[in-house]
C-alpha cells in the first residue's frame, strides 16, 4: 500500500561531507546583517534575531491534527458512546476532549487517510441502530459500525473549538456522492438540508476545508499523476458551497520528494484547488522494519533526527514547483500527514498503528514545527498523524486511562506561535552526530505573538551535551526571558499509564538577557520556548 523513497541523496551527501559548522537558512529573504556570524567552539549556536524584520503570518493551522478511523484513533480514543462507563458527554470522552480543547487544535482532518477513499457518508448518518456495519479493509480488517459519522465528527470539532477538514471519497466514490456530502453539511435549504435537520442539525456546519481524496497514487486508487489531476478537476468542479461561504479544496498530494506529482497537479488542476497536500513520515530504518518507538540506540536516534530534517528539503522542493504555477502563493502546501511511524507496540494489532511516544518524538515534533514556521508563506496547514492512539499521537488511552505524550506537550508549549508573525533568525550551529548520522545541534524559530510578545523556540538535538545559544537581538530592548522546558534524562523516556508525568514541561531558568543579547543554556535533548520581556 505504501511506497516511499527512503531519503534524499542530498541529505546523505550532507551527512557524509560534514563540516564542523552548520549555516541554517532560516528564511530566504533578507541579506545577513552579520555575515561574520560563526558557530561557537562548544556545542551550541550563535544567532541574530531580527525583531525589526517581521515576515509572514504563521497560520495557526500548521498546528492541526489528523484523526482517522484506524485502530483506537476514533473508537475508544475519542468516542466511547453515551452508554460507556468512561466519563463522557454524549459519547465523547471528557478527558480527551478537555485535553484537546486546552491545546487549541486549529483543524482536524477526518475520516482518513486511506479510510476516506472507501467511506460512504450516507452509512454514517441517521439513527445509529440503522447504520450498516462494514469491514475496515485498510486497518486491521475489524468491523466499523459507523457509530461515528458526519454529525459526530462535526460536533466533536465544535466541542474542541477546531475547524473541520473532511476528506472525500475519490477512490471508490462518485462526484455526485461527494457533492451531495458537501451539500448535506453546508446547505441552508433543500432536501439534504432537511435530512440533516431530521438527523438533529438544523444549522449548516462550517466546512472550511475539503480534501479531494487521499494518496491517489496509492490507497486512494493507484493513479498516475496525470489521471489523478483529471479526476481531481472533475470532482472539484462539483464541490459547491452556498453563496457567502468559502471552502478550500485540497488536492491529494505527493509522497515525500515526488515533485513530479506536484508539478502535474499544479499544472493541470492548480487553478481549481486552494491547496495541494504532501505526506512525509519519519521512519528510522525502512518500511519493512521501521524501528522501535522506545527501544532504540543513540545511532537510531541520530538517524531518525537526520531523516526528519528532510522535511525542509521536501517543502522547499514542492514550493519551488508551486512557485512556477502560482507565484502569488495562493495555493496552500498542506503537509496533511506527517510524523513518526515506528513498529507497533509489541502485542498490539499490527493494523492499528499504536506506538509509544518518547522525548525523541518531542524533539522531532519541534524540529518540524520550526521548519514549518520558516515556510509560513506557502505552508498554511499541517496535520500531524495522528490525534489519539495512532502513530505520533498527542494522547494515548487505555480503557478509562489517558496519558498526554511528549508530543502533546510540545504542541502546548508552542501555542503562542499560533497566528504569530514570523521573525527571522540567523543561526550558526555546531553539529551533533553519531556515526554517519548528523543534525545541527540547535534549531530555532521566533515570532511575535498575537499578544504582542516575542517568543523564541529552541531545540537541542544533542542527547549528551547541553548547548549554549547566544543571540543578538535587533529591534527590541529585551530585559529578561522566561520560559518552559521539556527534557528527560534519556531520549527514550516516555509517559505511561502508570507513570504519566515522566516527561512534562517544567519552568525554565536557563536564559538570561544582557547587553550582548539573549544567552541560553539548553539541557541535552530539550525543547525550550521563551518569552522575551
Ligand atoms: O496515517 C496512516 C496512513 O498513512 C493514512 O491512512 C494514509 O494516508 C497514509 O499512508
Amino acid at each position: 500500500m505504501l511506497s516511499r523513497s527512503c531519503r534524499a541523496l542530498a541529505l546523505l551527501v550532507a551527512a557524509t561531507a560534514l563540516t564542523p559548522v552548520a549555516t541554517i537558512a532560516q528564511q530566504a529573504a533578507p541579506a545577513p546583517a552579520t555575515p561574520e556570524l560563526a558557530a561557537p567552539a562548544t556545542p551550541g549556536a550563535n544567532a541574530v534575531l531580527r525583531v525589526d524584520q517581521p515576515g509572514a503570518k504563521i497560520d495557526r493551522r500548521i498546528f492541526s491534527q489528523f484523526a482517522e478511523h484506524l485502530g483506537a484513533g476514533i473508537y475508544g480514543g475519542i468516542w466511547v458512546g453515551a452508554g460507556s462507563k468512561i466519563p463522557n458527554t454524549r459519547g465523547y470522552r471528557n478527558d480527551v476532549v478537555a485535553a484537546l480543547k486546552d491545546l487549541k487544535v486549529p483543524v482536524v482532518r477526518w475520516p482518513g487517510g486511506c479510510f476516506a477513499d472507501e467511506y460512504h457518508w450516507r452509512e454514517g448518518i441517521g439513527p445509529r441502530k440503522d447504520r450498516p456495519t462494514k469491514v475496515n479493509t485498510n486497518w486491521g480488517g475489524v468491523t466499523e459500525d459507523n457509530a461515528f459519522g458526519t454529525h459526530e465528527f462535526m460536533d466533536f470539532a465544535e466541542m474542541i473549538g477546531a475547524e473541520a477538514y473532511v476528506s472525500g471519497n475519490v477512490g471508490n466514490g462518485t462526484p455526485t456522492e461527494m457533492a451531495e456530502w458537501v451539500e448535506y453539511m453546508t446547505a441552508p435549504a433543500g432536501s439534504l438540508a432537511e435530512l440533516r435537520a431530521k438527523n438533529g442539525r438544523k444549522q449548516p456546519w462550517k466546512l472550511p476545508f475539503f480534501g479531494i481524496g487521499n494518496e491517489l497514487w496509492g490507497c486512494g486508487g493507484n493513479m498516475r499523476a496525470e489521471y489523478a489531476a483529471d479526476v481531481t478537476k472533475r470532482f472539484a468542479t462539483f464541490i459547491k458551497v452556498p453563496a457567502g461561504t468559502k471552502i478550500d479544496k485540497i488536492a491529494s498530494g505527493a509522497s515525500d520528494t515526488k515533485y513530479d506529482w506536484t508539478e502535474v497537479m499544479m499544472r493541470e488542476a492548480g487553478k481549481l484547488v486552494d491547496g495541494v497536500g504532501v505526506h512525509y513520515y519519519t521512519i528510522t530504518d525502512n518500511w519493512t522494519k521501521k524501528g522501535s518507538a522506545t527501544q532504540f540506540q543513540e545511532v537510531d536516534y541520530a538517524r531518525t533526527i537526520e531523516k526528519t530534517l528532510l522535511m525542509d528539503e521536501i517543502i522547499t522542493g514542492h514550493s519551488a514547483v508551486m512557485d512556477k504555477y502560482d507565484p502569488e502563493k495562493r495555493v496552500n502546501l498542506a503537509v496533511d500527514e506527517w510524523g513518526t511511524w515506528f513498529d507497533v507496540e509489541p502485542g498490539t494489532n499490527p493494523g492499528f498503528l499504536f506506538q509509544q511516544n518518547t522525548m525523541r518524538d518531542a524533539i522531532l515534533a519541534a524540529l518540524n514545527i520550526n521548519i514549518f514556521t520558516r515556510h509560513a508563506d506557502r505552508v498554511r496547514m499541517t496535520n500531524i498523524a495522528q490525534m489519539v492512539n495512532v502513530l505520533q499521537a498527542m494522547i494515548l488511552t487505555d480503557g478509562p486511562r489517558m496519558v498526554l505524550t511528549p508530543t502533546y506537550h510540545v504542541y502546548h508549549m508552542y501555542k503562542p506561535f499560533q497566528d504569530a508573525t514570523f521573525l527571522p533568525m540567523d543561526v550558526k550551529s555546531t553539529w551533533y552526530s553519531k556515526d554517519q548520522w548528523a543534525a545541527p545541534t540547535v534549531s530555532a524559530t521566533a515570532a511575535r505573538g498575537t499578544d504582542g510578545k516575542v517568543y523564541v523556540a529552541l531545540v537541542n538535538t544533542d542527547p549528551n551535551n547541553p548547548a549554549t545559544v547566544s543571540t543578538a537581538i535587533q529591534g527590541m530592548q529585551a530585559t529578561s526571558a522566561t520560559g518552559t522546558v521539556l527534557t528527560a534524562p534519556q531520549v527514550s523516556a516516555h509517559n505511561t499509564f502508570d507513570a504519566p508525568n515522566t516527561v512534562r514541561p517544567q519552568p525554565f531558568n536557563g536564559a538570561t538577557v544582557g547587553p550582548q543579547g539573549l544567552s541560553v543554556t539548553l539541557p541535552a535533548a530539550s525543547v525550550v520556548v521563551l518569552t522575551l520581556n
Side-chain angles (χ1 to χ4, degrees):
M1 175 184 59
L2 303 160
S3 76
R4 292 160 204 283
S5 70
C6 281
R7 57 206 300 258
L9 183 62
L11 203 59
L12 276 170
V13 172
T16 47
L18 283 183
T19 55
V21 170
T23 301
I24 307 166
Q26 304 275 3
Q27 197 188 37
T34 51
E36 72 281 4
L37 196 64
T42 54
N46 289 324
V48 179
L49 166 60
R50 308 239 179 93
V51 177
D52 52 355
Q53 294 187 15
K57 176 176 154 184
I58 299 169
D59 198 310
R60 65 181 181 283
R61 300 177 184 91
I62 72 160
F63 296 93
S64 300
Q65 299 179 26
F66 170 38
E68 181 167 12
H69 287 238
L70 194 179
I74 302 287
Y75 300 110
I78 292 171
W79 177 261
V80 288
S84 173
K85 287 202 176 77
I86 297 172
N88 69 86
T89 302
R90 301 191 312 281
Y92 306 94
R93 289 182 75 118
N94 290 344
D95 52 359
V96 169
V97 166
L100 292 171
K101 262 172 106 164
D102 194 28
L103 214 48
K104 294 201 185 309
V105 181
V107 177
V108 189
R109 178 175 183 251
W110 173 87
C114 294
F115 184 83
D117 279 292
E118 296 185 30
Y119 181 65
H120 300 285
W121 66 272
R122 281 191 169 84
E123 297 174 349
I125 58 169
R128 284 194 199 100
K129 65 176 177 40
D130 298 336
R131 299 183 192 177
T133 294
K134 305 288 288 274
V135 174
N136 189 332
T137 56
N138 283 291
W139 304 117
V142 294
T143 52
E144 156 70 59
D145 67 4
N146 279 299
F148 193 93
T150 303
H151 289 253
E152 288 78 13
F153 170 68
M154 292 304 235
D155 290 350
F156 166 66
E158 280 185 352
M159 275 175 99
I160 65 166
E163 293 177 309
Y165 173 10
V166 172
S167 289
N169 179 348
V170 169
N172 71 2
T174 64
T176 306
E177 182 185 16
M178 187 182 281
E180 288 181 347
W181 194 10
V182 173
E183 184 180 336
Y184 180 82
M185 290 186 273
T186 62
S191 305
L192 287 171
E194 284 164 22
L195 180 60
R196 185 188 66 229
K198 188 172 151 231
N199 288 332
R201 173 78 184 200
K202 187 159 178 6
Q203 281 300 107
W205 286 292
K206 286 196 180 121
L207 183 58
F209 302 101
F210 195 84
I212 305 168
N214 169 76
E215 296 193 350
L216 295 183
W217 42 265
C219 62
N222 285 306
M223 302 174 193
R224 291 176 305 116
E226 289 77 7
Y227 182 71
D230 283 346
V231 167
T232 298
K233 282 196 287 187
R234 180 170 178 228
F235 277 68
T237 300
F238 303 105
I239 297 170
K240 297 171 184 175
V241 288
T245 66
K246 187 174 178 318
I247 191 166
D248 276 11
K249 302 170 193 175
I250 300 181
S252 161
S255 174
D256 46 60
T257 54
K258 306 283 187 332
Y259 305 123
D260 286 359
W261 181 277
T262 302
E263 176 89 38
V264 174
M265 194 59 86
M266 283 299 292
R267 188 183 68 221
E268 303 298 331
K271 294 212 165 16
L272 281 181
V273 297
D274 307 285
V276 172
V278 61
H279 294 177
Y280 174 55
Y281 284 100
T282 304
I283 55 174
T284 304
D285 293 327
N286 57 58
W287 281 104
T288 312
K289 191 182 175 311
K290 294 179 273 296
S292 166
T294 55
Q295 308 296 310
F296 55 87
Q297 306 300 316
E298 186 182 343
V299 67
D300 305 314
Y301 165 79
R303 186 176 185 187
T304 311
I305 294 301
E306 185 189 305
K307 287 178 84 172
T308 209
L309 293 175
L310 184 60
M311 181 66 89
D312 197 22
E313 182 186 315
I314 288 171
I315 293 174
T316 303
H318 289 287
S319 299
V321 172
M322 293 174 78
D323 284 349
K324 272 172 49 185
Y325 299 98
D326 174 37
E328 301 81 23
K329 300 188 192 294
R330 183 190 66 81
V331 181
N332 170 13
L333 177 61
V335 188
D336 48 13
E337 286 185 33
W338 69 274
T340 55
W341 192 323
F342 297 123
D343 296 333
V344 297
E345 285 301 300
T348 65
N349 186 327
F352 282 11
L353 310 186
F354 179 80
Q355 66 189 43
Q356 250 295 357
N357 194 293
T358 67
M359 188 62 216
R360 175 176 66 173
D361 291 82
I363 289 171
L364 185 144
L367 291 173
N368 279 282
I369 293 168
N370 289 359
I371 291 169
F372 299 146
T373 64
R374 288 179 216 129
H375 293 278
D377 56 349
R378 179 64 85 178
V379 176
R380 300 195 285 275
M381 173 155 49
T382 91
N383 307 76
I384 191 169
Q386 299 193 4
M387 193 173 230
V388 188
N389 289 332
V390 177
L391 298 176
Q392 190 177 352
M394 300 283 144
I395 293 172
L396 303 177
T397 66
D398 174 29
R401 301 195 290 177
M402 177 191 85
V403 70
L404 304 177
T405 66
T407 299
Y408 176 97
H409 293 309
V410 167
Y411 271 64
H412 203 278
M413 290 164 66
Y414 272 79
K415 277 200 295 185
F417 284 79
Q418 292 198 14
D419 283 341
T421 303
F422 181 79
L423 298 174
M425 265 180 101
D426 276 350
V427 179
K428 285 272 173 71
S429 174
T430 56
W431 283 85
Y432 156 68
S433 66
K434 179 71 182 169
D435 297 351
Q436 74 269 44
W437 309 105
T441 311
V442 174
S443 163
T445 192
R448 188 182 288 284
T450 52
D451 58 3
K453 294 182 179 167
V454 172
Y455 295 92
V456 179
L458 299 162
V459 182
N460 178 9
T461 59
D462 189 330
N464 306 312
N465 301 293
T468 304
V469 185
S470 303
T471 305
I473 305 171
Q474 292 182 355
M476 179 189 182
Q477 295 288 328
T479 53
S480 67
T482 51
T484 307
V485 60
L486 190 72
T487 189
Q490 277 90 36
V491 282
S492 58
H494 54 278
N495 297 331
T496 65
F497 298 104
D498 294 325
N501 291 317
T502 303
V503 186
R504 71 188 154 120
Q506 307 278 359
F508 181 65
N509 52 21
T512 55
V513 178
Q516 305 304 318
L518 173 68
S519 179
V520 186
T521 303
L522 301 169
S526 64
V527 178
V528 167
V529 176
L530 296 170
T531 311
L532 299 189
N533 306 300

